[in-house]
Amino acid sequence: MPTSGTSSDTYASVGGDSGALRLGMKPGRTYRFSAWAYVPSATGLSPQHAGGLCLYAAFATPSGTVTKTSRKVPYTDAWAELTLDFTVPADATSAYLRLHNGFTAGGVEPAKGVHHRHHHLQDQVHLRQRRPPDLHRRRR
């Protein structure tokens, strides 16, 4: 997934970015956003942006932007599942999701690699079997 962002942060938008209720999200509904992330040891766990190496949800409301983040990837050189449970505010006019890298884009040190697989958004009224990604198949 290509990354975007400012020079001090990088991320990949999932299903579009701000400006609309993305991925069919509806105000007042509760969702679970999950993804598997792999951070190579060469990348490390100290991104320049404090919001890096996590899942991110943001909502535009008449009183301002509301955000939620998952825990950060806890270790390197192995797949880690991240999950983020959230409720879209009842007065939200925009809702969107990002996979946050958090390392500097361009400049002296280009954005470091973080790999994501199997990202899902599910309404909390449905159950879905969780399983780790197929580690024998590598995507490049």
Side-chain angles (χ1 to χ4, degrees):
M1 191 173 279
T3 59
S4 57
T6 66
S7 60
S8 63
D9 187 18
T10 53
Y11 56 85
S13 297
V14 179
D17 211 43
S18 63
L21 293 163
R22 302 295 181 184
L23 300 169
M25 289 187 276
K26 297 182 184 330
R29 298 290 294 268
T30 299
Y31 298 91
R32 170 169 283 178
F33 176 31
S34 63
W36 289 86
Y38 182 94
V39 180
S41 59
T43 298
L45 298 175
S46 300
Q48 288 85 359
H49 190 275
L53 300 178
C54 68
L55 305 179
Y56 174 93
F59 319 100
T61 69
S63 56
T65 301
V66 176
T67 61
K68 281 211 48 148
T69 58
S70 70
R71 70 180 175 114
K72 293 184 183 227
V73 175
Y75 42 77
T76 62
D77 293 331
W79 287 98
E81 183 179 29
L82 300 177
T83 60
L84 175 61
D85 294 330
F86 61 89
T87 300
V88 177
D91 59 350
T93 57
S94 173
Y96 57 98
L97 305 174
R98 293 177 176 170
L99 303 167
H100 259 258
N101 177 325
F103 289 95
T104 303
V108 177
E109 181 180 20
K112 294 184 175 184
V114 175
H115 310 281
H116 294 92
R117 279 202 186 157
H118 304 290
H119 50 276
H120 300 282
L121 175 67
Q122 64 190 48
D123 191 308
Q124 286 295 75
V125 297
H126 301 293
L127 297 176
R128 181 183 201 102
Q129 181 180 357
R130 296 185 342 200
R131 62 183 172 85
D134 181 359
L135 300 179
H136 301 290
R137 234 180 65 206
R138 296 199 80 192
R139 287 171 57 185
R140 300 211 180 251

